Amino acid sequence: MAKTISKLVPFLLLVTLYLSTLGFIRSQTFSKILSPSSLGLNQEKLTHLHFYFHDMYGRNPTAVKVAEAAQTNTSKTYFGSVFVMDDPLTLLPDVNSKRIGYAQGMTVSASQNELGLLMIFHFVFTEGEYNGSTISILGRNLVFSDIREMPVVGGSGVFRFARGYAEGKTHSLDAKTGNAVLEYNVFVLHP
């Protein structure tokens, strides 16, 4: 009997090693399925945000051109121009009203036939219950449309897992300076 056990020991060690290796391989995967409730996703809220976005190019600009294509200056749509922005968000159309955050990101003139912008930016909130949270926007903005709809593609903080849409419309535009005040209504589903 002792001889039989001594013959089984190497086999049992080999099986144990093999099974532990399988466990190691399984633990090295890069993903796993989670329950949405483990991340607080039991119930979603729909939040409506309303504020004003100040895009300023004159003195103390909040948006600056960082790149352009060879044909940008001859294009009626400024095709190929890239602007980076850090525009204040306020409760009222007056730039000196209560500031609630910033729109930070970039716009690209992406159409050769109409003034159509690719908008890539975050609404960064610095006040109230949304302080430290962001909403991410990625979409097309046809500048001369009455209302421009752009998708909400994510967020952080309170708006983690966010989805929805933002509607922007021109509140006022200074043709001489290019400064604009835009009114935004944002509808966001989030945990």
Side-chain angles (χ1 to χ4, degrees):
M1 178 129 164
K3 223 177 193 187
T4 307
I5 291 177
S6 66
K7 287 182 180 182
L8 279 175
V9 168
F11 174 74
L12 291 173
L13 285 173
L14 187 60
V15 167
T16 303
L17 180 62
Y18 175 74
L19 292 176
S20 66
T21 302
L22 283 179
F24 175 76
I25 290 170
R26 249 180 278 168
S27 70
Q28 296 298 308
T29 62
F30 67 92
S31 69
K32 66 180 178 176
I33 296 173
L34 298 174
S35 164
S37 63
S38 71
L39 296 174
L41 298 173
N42 297 334
Q43 187 174 358
E44 289 184 311
K45 294 179 252 177
L46 175 61
T47 298
H48 173 216
L49 301 160
H50 178 259
F51 49 82
Y52 293 86
F53 176 129
H54 300 268
D55 206 21
M56 297 179 282
Y57 297 93
R59 206 169 44 127
N60 300 320
T62 61
V64 295
K65 187 188 291 186
V66 295
E68 64 181 35
Q71 73 268 30
T72 297
N73 291 328
T74 59
S75 167
K76 64 181 176 154
T77 65
Y78 307 104
F79 180 69
S81 60
V82 179
F83 286 83
V84 173
M85 66 181 162
D86 186 12
D87 293 342
L89 303 177
T90 60
L91 286 179
L92 301 172
D94 180 355
V95 71
N96 296 312
S97 67
K98 183 173 177 72
R99 188 165 293 173
I100 60 164
Y102 297 89
Q104 297 175 334
M106 64 185 208
T107 62
V108 179
S109 183
S111 175
Q112 294 185 59
N113 302 315
E114 55 194 340
L115 194 51
L117 305 176
L118 167 62
M119 306 287 288
I120 306 165
F121 65 95
H122 306 286
F123 291 129
V124 179
F125 297 100
T126 58
E127 286 292 323
E129 66 184 294
Y130 306 122
N131 184 20
S133 297
T134 66
I135 293 174
S136 301
I137 305 290
L138 172 65
R140 185 171 193 236
N141 179 345
L142 283 176
V143 175
F144 295 117
S145 295
D146 289 338
I147 296 178
R148 284 89 73 185
E149 183 177 309
M150 291 161 276
V152 169
V153 296
S156 67
V158 171
F159 299 113
R160 184 179 299 133
F161 291 106
R163 66 187 192 283
Y165 67 99
E167 290 181 343
K169 72 177 188 176
T170 303
H171 176 76
S172 64
L173 173 64
D174 182 332
K176 187 188 272 185
T177 63
N179 292 349
V181 178
L182 308 163
E183 182 178 7
Y184 269 84
N185 283 287
V186 183
F187 300 90
V188 186
L189 282 168
H190 61 97

